[in-house]
Amino acid sequence: MDKEKHFEEERRRMVQTQLIPRGIADESVLEAMRKVPRHRFVPEDLIESAYDDCPLPIGEGQTISQPYMVALMTECLGLKGDEKNLEVGTGSGYQAAILAELSGQIYTVERVEKLSKRAGEILKALGYINIQLKVEDGSEGWAEFSPYDGIIVTAGSPDVPEPLAEQLSEGGRLVIPVGGCYSQELVVLEKKNGKLERREVCGCVFVPLVGRHGWEK
Ligand code: SAH
């Protein structure tokens, strides 16, 4: 079988066995998960594990999140198609690609230059033109293009960074793992009449958000 066909089948299986049974129901999210070639975002030597039910190392001590967590966080944003989103923690670029399939414009910030550069190259090679990357402390958000309809933080934070709350539009949603260094709670905050309504989704484990409004180290 040709390689791309093989991976396409792997993606179908991933959706059938990892996402649908655990309750991911948004058909547009499932379709994006079936479409984006996750194997292109993982290191060469892990390509055969790309669709496994776990996070994988991407170098620099960082990870690409488990497929289920990517789908869950995306579903929590409730995207309709034309939103402007901010991602904090570009990592491999995979989550940004999923968002780009489901909304208008994506801004993504990564603190490790090497990861951002690699992610940018992969996203370009795959033809994504609605994703802008920058290397910076994303706990400060990206004020220039704010407010955002959706903000997704793919690293664990001790608290909700104030700049991110500020850069969220009215009616917008912020999805972020909040808690300790080794385990967090996935939290969805929705801005209603200028106030944040908070909903806790589940426990999770993310690498730390390192920055001014995150962890010190
Ligand atoms: N969304 C990624 C997963 C990233 S893992 C993917 O789809 O592959 C979390 C990432 O957050 C790491 O790459 C880490 O370097 C980055 N990170 C940690 N603190 C950050 C900060 N303050 N600003 C931006 N990126 C940060």
Side-chain angles (χ1 to χ4, degrees):
M1 200 192 302
D2 113 19
K3 271 242 157 282
E4 288 310 311
K5 264 258 165 309
H6 159 71
F7 287 124
E8 198 180 315
E9 296 238 319
E10 292 263 282
R11 282 198 292 282
R12 285 202 165 274
R13 186 163 43 227
M14 169 186 82
V15 168
Q16 285 309 119
T17 62
Q18 301 172 30
L19 308 186
I20 294 174
R22 291 192 186 122
I24 304 297
D26 184 330
E27 192 45 50
S28 65
V29 173
L30 295 174
E31 204 42 54
M33 298 293 293
R34 280 188 204 105
K35 181 173 173 196
V36 177
R38 180 174 166 94
H39 62 281
R40 296 284 295 271
F41 294 88
V42 306
E44 202 74 42
D45 57 327
L46 292 176
I47 199 162
E48 282 303 332
S49 307
Y51 299 100
D52 291 357
D53 191 11
C54 56
L56 293 170
I58 53 171
E60 313 299 311
Q62 307 304 325
T63 55
I64 176 173
S65 305
Q66 176 194 25
Y68 170 66
M69 192 48 69
V70 173
L72 178 64
M73 292 178 87
T74 306
E75 189 172 64
C76 285
L77 285 172
L79 302 171
K80 301 268 185 290
D82 54 1
E83 291 87 352
K84 177 170 65 169
N85 296 311
L86 172 68
E87 178 192 28
V88 178
T90 312
S92 68
Y94 176 65
Q95 173 77 70
I98 294 287
L99 296 175
E101 292 287 342
L102 295 167
S103 51
Q105 186 67 36
I106 313 301
Y107 297 90
T108 180
V109 190
E110 168 59 55
R111 65 184 282 270
V112 180
E113 183 167 6
K114 205 166 150 191
L115 292 176
S116 179
K117 187 162 176 279
R118 181 175 173 275
E121 285 164 5
I122 296 166
L123 292 167
K124 189 170 168 213
L126 290 173
Y128 289 101
I129 52 167
N130 56 339
I131 303 174
Q132 271 201 56
L133 302 90
K134 106 170 157 168
V135 178
E136 201 90 61
D137 172 9
S139 74
E140 303 268 18
W142 192 340
E144 190 183 352
F145 300 104
S146 71
Y148 300 97
D149 305 304
I151 301 180
I152 180 170
V153 183
T154 60
S157 181
D159 272 306
V160 178
E162 192 51 45
L164 299 186
E166 272 164 24
Q167 291 172 28
L168 190 64
S169 67
E170 178 61 31
R173 290 189 193 169
L174 165 56
V175 180
I176 179 171
V178 177
C181 222
Y182 301 105
S183 75
Q184 306 86 28
E185 196 69 33
L186 185 64
V187 173
V188 180
L189 300 132
E190 195 165 343
K191 200 179 258 189
K192 288 191 176 159
N193 302 318
K195 289 217 173 91
L196 292 179
E197 251 175 35
R198 183 185 170 112
R199 177 167 71 90
E200 299 198 345
V201 179
C202 62
C204 54
V205 178
F206 279 82
V207 297
L209 179 76
V210 178
R212 197 167 142 191
H213 302 272
W215 296 96
E216 228 168 77
K217 238 204 163 286

